Amino acid sequence: MSDQDYDPERPVYLRIGDWHPSEVSRNYATGDTEAGVSVYDLAPDGSIVVPSEGE
């Protein structure tokens, strides 16, 4: 299986913007840096899974 094959057991994520090698994101509301990068879950149909408030 190549990296391009779909595996329903493996989560798929969408990153909007560059993936920073340091894996540090900037919270643009506060200007602070945060560990990790922001991503969205993708549903099997390719749509973005929108989290409910508080998630």
Side-chain angles (χ1 to χ4, degrees):
M1 180 181 324
S2 76
D3 288 340
Q4 301 301 313
D5 292 334
Y6 175 70
D7 178 354
E9 299 299 316
R10 186 175 169 195
V12 177
Y13 303 101
L14 172 66
R15 166 75 177 157
I16 299 175
D18 295 330
W19 188 282
H20 301 281
S22 65
E23 294 192 0
V24 173
S25 292
R26 178 168 306 282
N27 181 322
Y28 289 98
T30 65
D32 295 331
T33 57
E34 302 173 339
V37 291
S38 300
V39 296
Y40 292 96
D41 288 322
L42 289 183
D45 67 359
S47 63
I48 295 173
V49 177
V50 179
S52 58
E53 189 156 337
E55 283 189 272

